[in-house]
Structure formats: structure tokens, C-alpha cells
Amino acid sequence: MPTSFYFSLQIFQTTIEICSFHFLLKLQTFRVMESGSRFKFIVALLEHRFLGWIFVPYLVEPLKSYYSVRSVVRFTELEKLDYGFNKYEREIVRLTSKYADSKLSAKFSRNLNSSEFFNQISPDYLKQSVLPYVSKQMYQVALILMKNNIQLFEKEANYSNLYDEDIIALNTNFASAHFSFERNEEGIKYQVKLYQDGIFIPLINRKVKIVTNDPCVMVVRNMLLIFSDMDSKKVLPFLEREFIHVPRNMESKYFSNFVMNRVCDHTIDASGFSIIDIDDEKGAILSLEKNIKGSPVLMLKLKYGPKEIFLNDSREVLVILENENDDYTFYRYKRNKEWEKQQVNFLVDNGLLEDAGGFTLPNIALMEEESALYALVNWITERYDQIVEMGIRIRQEFFSKKYYTGSKKLTFDLKQDHDWFDVYSIVHIGQYKFLFIKLKKFILNGIREFELPDGQIAILPEEWFERYKQLFQLGRIEGERMLFGKHFFNMLRHRVPGHIPEVLQKLEKSIATSESVQLPPSLNATLRPYQIKGFGWMHALIKNGLGGCLADDMGLGKTLQAIALLLKFKRKNNTGFDVHKAGYEGQLSLFPNVDKHEEIQPASLIVVPTSLVHNWMNEFRKFAPSLTIYDHTGYNRNRNGSWQEVINRFDVVITTYGTLRNDKELMEKHEFFLLILDESQYIKNRDSKIYSSVLSLKAKHRIVLTGTPIENSLSDLWSQMNFLNRGLLGNYSFFKQNFQTPIENRSEAKAEEKLQLLIRPFILRRTKGEVAQDLPPLMESVIFCTMTPEQQKVYEREKSIVRNTIMASIEANGVANSSIAILQGLTRLRQLANHPSLVDIEDDAGSGKFGEIFLALSNIISEGHKVLIFSSFVKHLELLRHHIETNEWKYSILTGKTINREEVINSFQNNRENRIFLISLKAGGVGLNLTEADYVFIVDPWWNPAAENQAISRAHRIGQGKSVFVYRFITENSIEEKIQHLKDRKSELADKFINSNNPFRVITKEEIESLFD
């Protein structure tokens, strides 16, 4: 078929399509008119004298034979026009407004109006900066026109009417370009042909308007062509000629540049040279290197044939040109996106994050460069086999050291030798193996790099430091093994990997099944389920040679559980309850002689506060009359008698902390069977004589009882744990560095976890909430009290003085060094909030709280109830006492000065007319069983919830048959109320380990300031 005929046919087809399109547009116009709409939204293509062809939106009025232009549509005037714009029309208006003259002058110049801007702008700046920005907006408009059937017209600037012949036809698909290269003896003949929906669009001698350059949008014979992947430069040469000829002497350069780019981006017809597509030559490389910031990163490189590219390379096709004996061949590799996605997914699924074409670990930006490098090397090491299986190669080319990326593992062997565990461990790194103890200095000092015999650097896994540092810190190395005391069983259970050794399983099972231990038949009490568990738990620890802390809430029967334990281990040759008071000369001679060669279980020793001696004696008499007791207390105790005979003859010796301190030299000479410390917080001060005295005692087994093992600091816990299981928490310096400071000052979760691991088996704590079914209901209420006007006046005046004093001290010395000033000031405000007379000023000011206390007290007395009234100020109790006497009510009072404690307690418990017991928190917070009372008043609540809980437990405890009501009296708008709000946000530390107590030590300057708002 002749070429001219072919072109004529193509033109004819194009003309038919354009006419059909015009008909459809006209039909749409008629429909719009029929619907009653007056205006129509259109886009016009106008020629701007500086910008070239631009799209401009208009509203036109369709008339019979033409369209009358009514107005340009500006973005700022959209809402003012009488037309309902759809979202596509609005978007076109928004885009075209961005290249309005005023907007361009504002964006690309300073303080120039549009006329000045275009007159002063340089041609180069216009071409390089302004026109590309305009083109970007124009291309987006073209895409909307292509898909949304909005009419496009060509418009002369000064014409106000548009006609059908001005319509520019739109297409719903992209236009395409077809490139052909023919190589012959004379050189290369190059041709470009354009197609729209498969129809050839001739360019020579046609009216062509270039609307945008890259991607190209053009108008050919009133038809808009939009290209997705071609710029206008490739078309321009063919507006005037059909072919471009490249001579033979230039073809090598032409092939390697121009033709190479066309082969990459477009469909090519090639003649005289070859284009070969290859699909299966691909591979992935994971390269350890540095990014542009100098930080270590893993780069994923994709290898197609011999060509390597980064993941974020924008090319879809990779081309390699080979010239062999003047025979040119292009090898074309189309990227396999699905395969690339699999590689990326593998890395991401294994914990890496994409970052600008590279891959990193989460939070690696927060690490030092060295730590980041180690983390990436260990990531490779841990997944080395999987990486190889995926076909990914590892490459290291950017670091001076060669890092080992193969497997690393530890093997452990654990055996028991009497009271010790032997741990033997081997390190396996590739072909090398050696004793784990050779890494001690590396693990303890955080040294990650270990050089292998072949010169490679193995990065020790971070897990080894986290998991095994405790082993080196707390174990003792002998030869090729590490030795651990039996009390480290729980740490070894969780730190030694692999199968749990049988010896640890047996020990764990023994403690876990402790509830099955039979209670001693001679116990005169029925234990509740949780008490049976506590008894069995202590029994299991003793059977396994371990010490423990029973830390139940006050009032849950710790004494009874301990008595059951003592009865379980009672010697068979002792019968009948017999209490012997030390100092009663000659009493021991009443006992028959015992064969001196017979091995006798020595007596157990109980050390208690002075105030609890009578309570223990009563409990022994009531629940275990078969135990023989030796009472080593009081001024008249015998310090010269035969202590060995005492220890051999009696089941239990009871003494006080003060007596022990004074008789240390006498008591430390003998070994006891079971050593029990009651209220063991008495030994919290590791520098005290009491602590050193207790530590000097010899005993086969040790138990402590306390409701508050942590009163002020974790150092309290260390003191008691060190007494129970020596060395469990290391020496105090080690404990402070590794646990106390990280936890108290920095709330480090890992330090908390490690400490929990060590102490968990040796502390048993049950709160009242956990055993609520065994206790009567406890109802707690807060009574807010309003100050009298005179009291309020005094309080505000004093508050101002105290605030200024405290803040001045903090500014000068800091919070830590101002504790005395803070405590003195806050204590003064507390006293004023309770009653001004507590600070000896203006007694006639009265107290709102005082009135509330006596109103509640009157109701309780009239109803026949008994009440415990606790205060931290003895002077407050004396003030209350005076008013109680005025009302002629019977009462008891217990303070630190009370000598006849037992008589005072019995008077309240046994006298029905005595309904009020005034108690100082310090003197009566522990050791009292006051179950006759069913009301508790805390008249001046403060920081310490543990002290308050102890006070409440005097009445709300095992043996109480009535519901217990607790009233806390708080003065409104005072330091008391502010402290209650503040302490709710504190005291988290002790809760995590044992109990809740004393948040004052971590108060901040800002919180102190808030107390005076």
C-alpha cells in the first residue's frame, strides 16, 4: 500500500473520530441546556506571552450556535459564583490558580508585582524554575480533563465567544510513542511515530502546540495528546522531517547514549543490531556499609546479570550494551518487582526497618555508632542460615575489620554438689570452642568484640551480657566451673538455657507443692488456706536449707504461721508447755540429765521488739502449749547461766532486739536451729549495732516476719535478704550500683526484673485484698473537715512564712539538702491544720477537725462501739484525752512512754465500758491484737500508707468477727489534702517488690511548690 494512501486513510479516520467526539459534546451541551442550567464549566487553552500555552477555567453560556464567555473562574471567587462546581472542577480551579501571574510573582520573587516580575525575570530562571513549576500544575489539569469529560477549547485572548471549531478533542487513554532504529552501512536511521488508541498521528506539516514538556502534553490538529513517559524533546525533531540520520562514525557514541536510553524506556523496533530480553539472571546482596550520615546500615542491592542497583533505583529496565566485532547487542533486564518484594519482606519480617533504600533496626538511631554496628552484625549472625537459604549474599567492604557472621552458641552443664551448684559452660563460635569463663572480663566490662584465631572479629550477642552478667557477678570461679550457692536456684533456672536440670526441677517442685505438708497435730488452731500455704512454704525453704521472708499484711496471722512451723520442728524429747524466765537461778537443774554424746537439735531463737514479747507468749500458750519456752528478756535475765544447757533443753528462746544487742557476745557463741526475726524491718540499717548483732548469730535456718520489709529504701530489702541468704544480692556496694540506684533513681525495668528474679522465691506476701474471704468487710471513708475562720487565718499566715523559708532553702541548697527545713515546715502546717494549739499559738482559734472527730466519736460511743484513735502527734492525743475526760468517757492511751502496755491493752479489750483507745502510730503500729474495736480513726493522715495500714490491722485482722470502719480525717484546703493527692502518684517502687511506703524521698521541687498553691 502506498505511503501517501496510508497517511490519507489515517487522517480520514482521525477526522471521523473528531467529528464524532464533537457530536457527543454538542449533545451533552443540549442536555445541559434542557436541564435548565444557564452556565457551563469549560477549560480554555490560551497563549500566555511568557508562559506559553496555559489552561484557564471559564464559565460560559451555551447559546444556539456558539458559547458566550461570561467569566474566568478564580479560586478565591468560587463560593460567590452562581454555579454548582463538582470536585473535579474545583480541583482544576485550584491547580490553575497556582500559576496565576500574581501567585507566580509572590512565589518566585520578593515584593514585585506581576508586571515587574515578568519584565525583570531572566530567561534562564524562567526556563529552569518557573516553567517546570507551571508545567507540573498543567499536567495535573490535563489528567483530570482526560478522565472527567470536561470540555476543552482553544481561545484567543481577546475573543469573548467560542465555537464548535474551537473545541479540542480529548482522549481517555494516554498517547504512545514508537521508536525505530535501522542500522545499515551508511549509519543509523532513527524515526519516532505517535499513536493514540492505536491510530497513527502524523506530525509533519501539522499545527502542533506543545503544552507541557515532561511529561509531554501536546495539541495536534485540535486533539489533546497526553503522554505518561515521554518528553517533548523527542518529538520536536519530527515536526519537520520523517527521519534523523546518524553517520557511521558517530554510531558507537549514539548507541551507548541515545539508543541505550530508548531501549530502557520504550518499545523499540531494531534493525541491524540485537535487543535480547533476559528474565532469570538475578540475585540479592546484603551489604554492611555506612550511609551518607556515616552510620552503619544494611544496603540491599539487586543484581540483574552483571549490573547491581540499589532498591530505590527508579529504573524499571536495566540495559547492558556489548559490542563484539562491530556487532551491537543490548541485553535488557526487566526488574522483577514481585521477587524484589519477597527480598524486602524477608528482611522486614525478620525485624529490619526500611530507611532510604537501606535497612536498619528499630531505635538504632538512638545507639552509639559502635553499638549500632554490633546490632546489625548480630542480626546477620542470628539469621545467617535463613539469609543463605533466601539466596542473599553477605558483603563487607566498608570497614577496616572483618566481622564474623556465622553461628554462635553456648552450652551449659549444671550439677549439684551438697549446698552448691556447679555450672560448666562452653562457647561455640564457628569451628572454635572454648570455656565461657574466658569471656568473664568481656561480659563484665561490656566488651563486645572478641578476636578469633583467624583474625575475624566475633561480636558477642547483647543477650549474653543481659542474660549472663549476673552469673559472673554472683558466681565464684573455681577451675573451669562457676559455683553458686543453693539460694541462686531461681536465677539459674531462668538464666541457664536449654533443658531445666533435674536438680532445679526438684527444688522448684518442693517449694511449689509445699501446701501438702502436714500440720503438726498438737497445734491448737485451725489455719486458713493461705496460712497453710505460708506454713508449708516456710517448711519447704527450711527443708532445702534456704531462708525466707513472710511478708503478709498486718493482721493475717504471721505469728500463728511461725508457731506452727516451730511446732513442726519440735524435738520429740520435750513435752508440756513450760516457760522459763531467764535469771531464775537453779531452775535448769530440774531437768533430767541427757547423754552428752547424743546429738540434740538446738533451740530455735525468736527476736522481737520489746512490745511484742507478751503477745508471742500469749500466742504460744494459746496455740502451742507443748513447746518449752525460755524467756531471755528484762533487766533480771541470767547472763551467767549455762547457755548450752538452755539451748539443749528448750524448744524456743525468745529475746528482744535490744537484749540481743547487749548480750551479743553471749549469744553469738552458740548455734540455734531456727532463727526467726519478727518485725524484721528493725534490722534495715546495715550500719546499726542491731544489724551486726543479728548477723553474728549462728543458725541452721533463718526466717523473718514483717509487714513492711521496705520502709524507706531498697537498702532495707538488702539488709534482710543478706541476713536470710548471705550473698544472694552481693555486697551492699554491688547491690546499690546494680539495683538500688538504677531502680530508685532511673526506674530501670531490667534492673527491676533481675532483682525480682533473685528475691521472688524467698518472699511470700499476701495482702488483705487477696484473702478478703477470710476477713470481715473493711469500709474506709475520708471525712473532710473545714477550718474555723480564725484557724484558716492563722494557717494562711503561717503557710506564707513556711513557703518562703522552704523555697529559699531549696534555691540555696537544693531539694536533697533541704530535707530538714522541708520536714519542719510541713510538720508545722500539719499541726496547724489539726489544731493551732499544737504549735502553742492562738488556742482560741479552735479547730474544725476537732469538732468533726468528737461528733463522730459521740455517735460511736452512744451506739456501743469501740474505737482506736491513731495520731502521729502525742500532743494531739493529749489534747483529745483532755476532751474525752471532760465528757467522762472511759479510755486507754498507749504512747512511747507507756510502761504497763499489757495492762493498758487488757483494760481496753476486757472492759466493756472502756470504748476509746488513744494510740500513737509509732508505739502502737505493730504487735497489738485489738479485735474488740470495730472503728479506727486516723486523725492526722500523712505520707506513709504502710504505717496507716499497720494501724488499721490492729482491728482488721484474723479473729475479728465484726465489720471494721476506718475514718481518715483530712482538713480541707490544707497541706493534708494536697499530700493525699500527691502520694496517690507516688510509692510505686515498694509496690513492685513488697509493699507501698514513703514517697517523700522522691518529691521534686515542683511538687513541693504545688503544696503551697
Side-chain angles (χ1 to χ4, degrees):
M1 181 182 295
T3 302
S4 59
F5 178 77
Y6 174 78
F7 284 165
S8 299
L9 180 59
Q10 295 293 331
I11 292 170
F12 178 71
Q13 291 176 335
T14 303
T15 303
I16 291 174
E17 289 201 355
I18 292 173
C19 292
S20 300
F21 191 66
H22 284 175
F23 174 77
L24 290 173
L25 291 177
K26 197 68 174 179
L27 181 60
Q28 183 188 33
T29 300
F30 291 151
R31 287 174 180 166
V32 170
M33 293 176 67
E34 288 171 1
S35 67
S37 176
R38 182 182 173 192
F39 299 117
K40 178 178 178 60
F41 179 87
I42 62 101
V43 175
L45 188 64
L46 295 89
E47 189 169 18
H48 189 283
R49 65 186 182 126
F50 294 104
L51 304 179
W53 293 100
I54 61 170
F55 293 125
V56 179
Y58 285 94
L59 282 182
V60 299
E61 182 178 4
L63 300 175
K64 282 189 175 182
S65 60
Y66 64 95
Y67 303 86
S68 177
V69 176
R70 294 307 184 193
S71 65
V72 175
V73 182
R74 295 180 175 84
F75 190 65
T76 56
E77 299 174 355
L78 272 178
E79 305 307 324
K80 299 177 183 178
L81 296 172
D82 184 19
Y83 181 83
F85 295 94
N86 64 38
K87 64 178 181 178
Y88 302 108
E89 292 168 344
R90 286 177 174 273
E91 181 62 9
I92 287 175
V93 174
R94 188 188 70 82
L95 290 168
T96 56
S97 70
K98 295 174 76 172
Y99 52 79
D101 289 358
S102 58
K103 288 293 184 68
L104 291 178
S105 62
K107 181 176 179 64
F108 293 98
S109 71
R110 293 181 179 179
N111 303 321
L112 292 178
N113 59 41
S114 56
S115 177
E116 293 171 332
F117 169 68
F118 284 112
N119 287 329
Q120 295 181 24
I121 191 171
S122 70
D124 287 342
Y125 186 71
L126 180 69
K127 181 178 180 181
Q128 294 171 9
S129 299
V130 179
L131 290 180
Y133 171 77
V134 174
S135 251
K136 181 180 178 182
Q137 318 309 320
M138 294 270 289
Y139 189 74
Q140 294 301 314
V141 173
L143 294 180
I144 297 174
L145 292 173
M146 183 172 73
K147 297 295 184 181
N148 290 283
N149 200 24
I150 297 172
Q151 280 190 299
L152 177 65
F153 290 79
E154 183 179 345
K155 181 181 182 300
E156 293 290 338
N158 298 321
Y159 286 14
S160 59
N161 294 330
L162 298 173
Y163 300 90
D164 288 346
E165 54 266 30
D166 297 323
I167 293 176
I168 299 175
L170 299 173
N171 298 285
T172 57
N173 297 308
F174 287 109
S176 61
H178 191 89
F179 298 83
S180 64
F181 297 90
E182 181 183 341
R183 184 185 184 222
N184 52 39
E185 292 181 356
E186 296 176 357
I188 299 173
K189 187 168 69 172
Y190 164 48
Q191 183 180 23
V192 175
K193 295 179 180 179
L194 304 185
Y195 293 88
Q196 178 64 58
D197 296 326
I199 300 175
F200 171 65
I201 308 296
L203 297 177
I204 297 175
N205 299 322
R206 297 295 188 270
K207 185 181 178 182
V208 175
K209 299 179 183 68
I210 303 298
V211 180
T212 66
N213 288 318
D214 190 12
C216 177
V217 176
M218 60 174 23
V219 176
V220 181
R221 292 181 62 86
N222 285 352
M223 180 185 292
L224 190 71
L225 303 181
I226 304 173
F227 295 87
S228 63
D229 56 358
M230 187 188 74
D231 62 78
S232 62
K233 292 179 181 178
K234 298 182 180 67
V235 179
L236 293 176
F238 299 97
L239 298 180
E240 298 178 353
R241 51 183 168 171
E242 190 176 348
F243 300 102
I244 293 176
H245 183 265
V246 179
R248 187 82 172 186
N249 62 351
M250 294 180 62
E251 66 178 11
S252 177
K253 184 177 181 180
Y254 193 68
F255 269 127
S256 61
N257 289 293
F258 189 83
V259 180
M260 169 82 78
N261 291 332
R262 302 295 81 70
V263 172
C264 286
D265 300 337
H266 299 280
T267 302
I268 301 294
D269 280 342
S271 175
F273 62 96
S274 301
I275 300 174
I276 300 175
D277 291 311
I278 302 176
D279 294 327
D280 56 353
E281 291 185 18
K282 59 184 183 296
I285 300 165
L286 197 60
S287 176
L288 180 63
E289 52 190 76
K290 293 184 178 182
N291 60 20
I292 57 175
K293 297 179 182 178
S295 303
V297 68
L298 290 173
M299 299 300 297
L300 179 62
K301 296 183 179 180
L302 307 167
K303 195 169 187 295
Y304 288 94
K307 206 170 188 76
E308 289 183 14
I309 61 168
F310 289 106
L311 178 65
N312 58 359
D313 193 303
S314 61
R315 290 174 290 177
E316 296 292 327
V317 177
L318 305 174
V319 178
I320 296 172
L321 173 63
E322 290 186 1
N323 179 10
E324 188 173 346
N325 299 324
D326 201 36
D327 185 9
Y328 288 90
T329 303
F330 289 92
Y331 295 95
R332 185 162 56 187
Y333 301 86
K334 186 176 181 181
R335 289 175 64 175
N336 187 328
K337 293 294 185 176
E338 186 61 33
W339 169 78
E340 291 180 13
K341 185 178 179 181
Q342 291 173 4
Q343 312 306 303
V344 172
N345 287 346
F346 168 76
L347 301 179
V348 172
D349 290 346
N350 279 278
L352 294 182
L353 300 175
E354 280 193 76
D355 180 22
F359 290 83
T360 63
L361 288 165
N363 300 320
I364 202 168
L366 304 176
M367 301 181 189
E368 297 291 336
E369 182 179 328
E370 187 179 70
S371 299
L373 172 63
Y374 295 163
L376 291 174
V377 171
N378 271 328
W379 183 90
I380 296 172
T381 300
E382 292 166 4
R383 297 159 183 81
Y384 186 80
D385 292 340
Q386 296 170 266
I387 293 171
V388 172
E389 187 177 338
M390 278 293 293
I392 301 175
R393 288 180 21 225
I394 303 297
R395 180 188 290 170
Q396 298 182 55
E397 295 177 350
F398 297 90
F399 297 92
S400 58
K401 300 173 183 177
K402 181 76 170 179
Y403 294 99
Y404 172 78
T405 56
S407 63
K408 294 189 284 281
K409 68 175 182 177
L410 288 172
T411 57
F412 284 84
D413 181 35
L414 187 148
K415 296 179 181 177
Q416 185 175 11
D417 183 12
H418 296 94
D419 289 336
W420 293 88
F421 292 116
D422 290 352
V423 177
Y424 180 77
S425 179
I426 298 291
V427 182
H428 303 262
I429 300 181
Q431 60 182 315
Y432 307 107
K433 64 179 182 177
F434 49 88
L435 291 170
F436 185 40
I437 57 177
K438 291 187 179 295
L439 295 181
K440 179 177 179 179
K441 73 171 185 178
F442 291 84
I443 299 296
L444 290 181
N445 295 297
I447 302 171
R448 300 288 302 277
E449 295 191 2
F450 180 80
E451 186 173 356
L452 297 173
D454 63 0
Q456 288 192 88
I457 303 298
I459 305 300
L460 302 181
E462 192 171 13
E463 180 200 6
W464 291 9
F465 294 83
E466 289 296 323
R467 189 180 182 105
Y468 306 122
K469 188 175 183 178
Q470 272 190 314
L471 298 183
F472 287 119
Q473 288 173 328
L474 299 172
R476 189 174 82 235
I477 294 178
E478 285 191 5
E480 297 182 345
R481 300 176 183 271
M482 286 184 282
L483 301 183
F484 296 89
K486 189 186 290 186
H487 46 260
F488 289 111
F489 81 92
N490 195 51
M491 180 190 72
L492 295 176
R493 161 78 171 78
H494 289 84
R495 294 293 184 235
V496 175
H499 179 68
I500 303 171
E502 184 179 356
V503 63
L504 294 184
Q505 287 182 326
K506 286 182 178 178
L507 187 55
E508 192 173 46
K509 184 178 179 182
S510 172
I511 296 174
T513 59
S514 59
E515 293 179 49
S516 61
V517 180
Q518 291 293 317
L519 287 166
S522 57
L523 180 68
N524 290 343
T526 300
L527 298 191
R528 289 166 169 79
Y530 75 89
Q531 292 175 323
I532 294 173
K533 181 179 180 180
F535 156 77
W537 175 78
M538 290 187 289
H539 183 274
L541 288 178
I542 289 174
K543 281 295 186 181
N544 287 286
L546 300 168
C549 171
L550 182 61
D552 287 345
D553 265 356
M554 294 294 175
L556 296 187
K558 294 189 291 294
T559 303
L560 177 56
Q561 295 173 67
I563 289 175
L565 184 70
L566 289 165
L567 203 55
K568 184 71 174 178
F569 288 104
K570 173 181 165 52
R571 293 193 305 244
K572 295 179 181 178
N573 59 328
N574 280 5
T575 59
F577 182 75
D578 198 355
V579 178
H580 292 264
K581 180 69 178 177
Y584 186 35
E585 299 289 349
Q587 197 166 22
L588 297 181
S589 63
L590 297 175
F591 287 87
N593 292 325
V594 178
D595 186 349
K596 294 182 180 180
H597 299 289
E598 181 184 348
E599 185 175 347
I600 299 173
Q601 175 180 302
S604 295
L605 175 65
I606 303 175
V607 186
V608 303
T610 302
S611 61
L612 298 189
V613 172
H614 78 275
N615 184 66
W616 272 90
M617 300 303 291
N618 288 339
E619 300 282 273
F620 275 127
R621 187 177 292 106
K622 181 178 180 181
F623 299 122
S626 63
L627 288 175
T628 56
I629 315 297
Y630 186 81
D631 181 0
H632 184 71
T633 62
Y635 294 110
N636 297 321
R637 65 186 181 279
N638 184 359
R639 306 186 200 190
N640 302 313
S642 173
W643 258 87
Q644 189 60 55
E645 190 171 356
V646 168
I647 291 170
N648 289 346
R649 296 288 186 178
F650 289 91
D651 293 314
V652 178
V653 175
I654 187 167
T655 191
T656 67
Y657 287 101
T659 302
L660 171 62
R661 179 185 57 206
N662 296 330
D663 295 354
K664 173 176 175 287
E665 293 183 4
L666 171 67
M667 303 183 74
E668 68 184 3
K669 295 176 182 177
H670 305 278
E671 183 178 57
F672 298 94
F673 175 70
L674 172 58
L675 174 54
I676 298 178
L677 306 183
D678 192 14
E679 300 298 343
S680 59
Q681 66 270 20
Y682 271 71
I683 68 168
K684 66 184 180 183
N685 185 355
R686 65 190 180 283
D687 297 321
S688 68
K689 288 184 178 180
I690 287 180
Y691 181 73
S692 62
S693 299
V694 166
L695 218 59
S696 70
L697 295 176
K698 303 180 186 73
K700 294 181 182 294
H701 309 288
R702 296 166 186 248
I703 293 290
V704 301
L705 312 175
T706 178
T708 54
I710 300 177
E711 281 198 321
N712 298 306
S713 166
L714 281 180
S715 62
D716 302 351
L717 180 65
W718 178 85
S719 301
Q720 293 165 86
M721 285 293 112
N722 194 53
F723 164 76
L724 289 171
N725 297 299
R726 191 71 59 86
L728 175 68
L729 302 180
N731 59 38
Y732 179 68
S733 177
F734 167 82
F735 176 80
K736 184 175 182 180
Q737 179 181 350
N738 290 276
F739 298 114
Q740 186 177 346
T741 299
I743 294 171
E744 291 184 349
N745 295 355
R746 301 189 293 272
S747 300
E748 290 186 10
K750 289 182 179 178
E752 292 177 4
E753 180 186 347
K754 290 176 181 178
L755 180 56
Q756 287 279 15
L757 193 64
L758 289 168
I759 68 174
R760 189 179 296 119
F762 311 113
I763 297 180
L764 181 62
R765 176 168 177 77
R766 279 77 59 87
T767 65
K768 287 183 177 178
E770 294 175 62
V771 297
Q773 67 274 14
D774 293 317
L775 289 168
L778 176 69
M779 276 70 76
E780 300 187 53
S781 301
V782 175
I783 297 179
F784 289 97
C785 311
T786 304
M787 296 188 213
T788 66
E790 294 80 7
Q791 181 186 14
Q792 184 77 54
K793 221 178 271 185
V794 173
Y795 182 86
E796 292 300 327
R797 184 185 69 218
E798 292 293 318
K799 183 176 78 170
S800 179
I801 297 171
V802 169
R803 183 188 189 285
N804 293 339
T805 302
I806 289 176
M807 299 321 298
S809 177
I810 291 175
E811 288 299 325
N813 308 308
V815 175
N817 296 321
S818 301
S819 58
I820 294 177
I822 295 170
L823 285 170
Q824 287 176 341
L826 296 183
T827 299
R828 185 171 180 82
L829 292 182
R830 284 181 67 198
Q831 291 171 323
L832 285 167
N834 284 291
H835 202 297
S837 65
L838 295 181
V839 291
D840 299 322
I841 61 172
E842 302 189 39
D843 185 26
D844 58 354
S847 164
K849 178 185 286 190
F850 216 65
E852 291 287 352
I853 292 172
F854 275 89
L855 177 62
L857 196 56
S858 298
N859 292 331
I860 288 171
I861 297 301
S862 66
E863 294 170 0
H865 298 285
K866 289 198 173 194
V867 60
L868 309 179
I869 302 178
F870 286 94
S871 173
S872 52
F873 300 116
V874 173
K875 196 170 182 180
H876 201 181
L877 293 177
E878 292 292 344
L879 197 62
L880 293 167
R881 174 184 189 174
H882 173 72
H883 283 261
I884 290 170
E885 289 175 344
T886 302
N887 285 278
E888 298 182 350
W889 292 331
K890 290 189 179 297
Y891 69 93
S892 293
I893 185 167
L894 179 65
T895 68
K897 295 180 180 180
T898 303
I899 299 174
N900 56 334
R901 290 174 60 96
E902 189 168 3
E903 182 182 330
V904 169
I905 294 167
N906 289 336
S907 173
F908 176 77
Q909 285 285 89
N910 301 324
N911 186 344
R912 294 184 62 184
E913 299 302 317
N914 186 348
R915 300 186 181 283
I916 303 171
F917 202 160
L918 300 168
I919 308 172
S920 73
L921 272 175
K922 189 173 183 180
V926 296
L928 299 179
N929 187 344
L930 302 173
T931 52
E932 286 299 308
D934 53 350
Y935 279 81
V936 178
F937 285 7
I938 309 292
V939 296
D940 41 34
W942 194 232
W943 279 112
N944 198 330
E948 292 181 11
N949 292 337
Q950 290 173 2
I952 295 168
S953 295
R954 301 310 99 219
H956 190 242
R957 60 193 299 115
I958 297 301
Q960 174 63 269
K962 304 179 289 292
S963 298
V964 176
F965 298 85
V966 178
Y967 291 159
R968 288 180 174 84
F969 293 84
I970 293 176
T971 301
E972 281 186 319
N973 301 317
S974 75
I975 196 71
E976 286 185 331
E977 184 176 11
K978 291 181 181 294
I979 289 297
Q980 297 310 306
H981 292 313
L982 183 57
K983 79 177 183 181
D984 288 342
R985 307 198 305 268
K986 298 289 183 179
S987 296
E988 295 178 358
L989 169 65
D991 255 340
K992 290 179 181 176
F993 291 95
I994 310 295
N995 65 320
S996 178
N997 211 341
N998 193 21
F1000 183 70
R1001 59 191 171 77
V1002 291
I1003 192 172
T1004 65
K1005 177 185 175 184
E1006 291 72 24
E1007 288 168 332
I1008 292 173
E1009 287 180 322
S1010 72
L1011 298 178
F1012 299 96
D1013 289 342

